[in-house]
Amino acid sequence: MNPEKRTDSWQSIGAELASFLSDRREAITAEWMAAVEQDTKLPSSDNLTLHQLRDHLPQLSENLNATLRNAFSPDLKAEAAETAAKHGEHRWKEGYDLSELLREFSHVRSAFIGPMIEFEEHHPDFGLAARLFAHITFHRFFDEAIRNSVEQFHGGGQPAINK
């Protein structure tokens, strides 16, 4: 198979998955918020308004969907890094400790897993190669978001120096 054709095919399935996740954004947000509210090891979240709790989730979701549509865009990677860094800065200012920040991200990632499985079940043509592409893109996105957020958080909310 031609590598260009393969990339187009993978990005096409990424675009389908992005649309699927976008259509379920409110349910994903509700699941994440319920998980955070029930997590007794996230006491700092009790001090946040609903707006503060949700703060960066819509943009993070948009960044994920854009990344699934075009996983090779450096501009999208930079935008996602900025969103994650802002989230780390805000959580630092809101009194979170590092463990809470990481737990919160764990709940965010988990909230997307169910819809991804649902997508796979509804798309029998979602073969192994496309599935691997989607999963690698998804997990790499969250790994980088967590790293950027933690770097900003660790810097006491101060802008991280690009290495």
Side-chain angles (χ1 to χ4, degrees), residues 47-74:
N47 301 324
L48 303 179
T49 65
L50 288 178
H51 177 73
Q52 288 173 313
L53 186 60
R54 287 179 61 125
D55 63 359
H56 294 104
L57 189 59
Q59 187 59 51
L60 186 74
S61 180
E62 285 302 314
N63 292 153
L64 172 61
N65 291 336
T67 299
L68 287 167
R69 287 184 179 97
N70 188 2
F72 305 106
S73 169

Side-chain angles (χ1 to χ4, degrees), residues 19 79-82 85 117 142 161:
S19 294
E79 184 178 333
E82 183 179 332
I117 292 169
F142 274 103
I161 298 171

Side-chain angles (χ1 to χ4, degrees), residues 54-64 67 75-91 101 104-105 141 144-150 152:
R54 287 179 61 125
D55 63 359
H56 294 104
L57 189 59
Q59 187 59 51
L60 186 74
S61 180
E62 285 302 314
N63 292 153
L64 172 61
T67 299
D75 293 337
L76 291 176
K77 185 176 179 179
E79 184 178 333
E82 183 179 332
T83 298
K86 284 180 185 175
H87 184 74
E89 177 184 357
H90 286 185
R91 289 304 187 250
L101 178 67
E104 189 177 70
F105 262 109
F141 172 86
E144 290 178 8
I146 292 165
R147 182 182 50 77
N148 285 301
S149 190
V150 166
Q152 187 74 16

Side-chain angles (χ1 to χ4, degrees), residues 5-104:
K5 179 93 168 140
R6 184 180 305 151
T7 300
D8 290 346
S9 172
W10 290 347
Q11 287 183 330
S12 174
I13 200 72
E16 286 183 53
L17 176 57
S19 294
F20 189 86
L21 294 174
S22 183
D23 290 346
R24 285 150 184 79
R25 182 170 40 187
E26 289 305 314
I28 290 167
T29 301
E31 181 176 331
W32 171 74
M33 291 184 70
V36 168
E37 289 171 3
Q38 294 170 8
D39 190 336
T40 59
K41 294 187 179 184
L42 274 170
S44 295
S45 69
D46 295 341
N47 301 324
L48 303 179
T49 65
L50 288 178
H51 177 73
Q52 288 173 313
L53 186 60
R54 287 179 61 125
D55 63 359
H56 294 104
L57 189 59
Q59 187 59 51
L60 186 74
S61 180
E62 285 302 314
N63 292 153
L64 172 61
N65 291 336
T67 299
L68 287 167
R69 287 184 179 97
N70 188 2
F72 305 106
S73 169
D75 293 337
L76 291 176
K77 185 176 179 179
E79 184 178 333
E82 183 179 332
T83 298
K86 284 180 185 175
H87 184 74
E89 177 184 357
H90 286 185
R91 289 304 187 250
W92 180 82
K93 288 178 178 177
E94 293 160 343
Y96 270 52
D97 65 28
L98 184 56
S99 175
E100 290 175 305
L101 178 67
L102 294 172
R103 290 183 75 81
E104 189 177 70

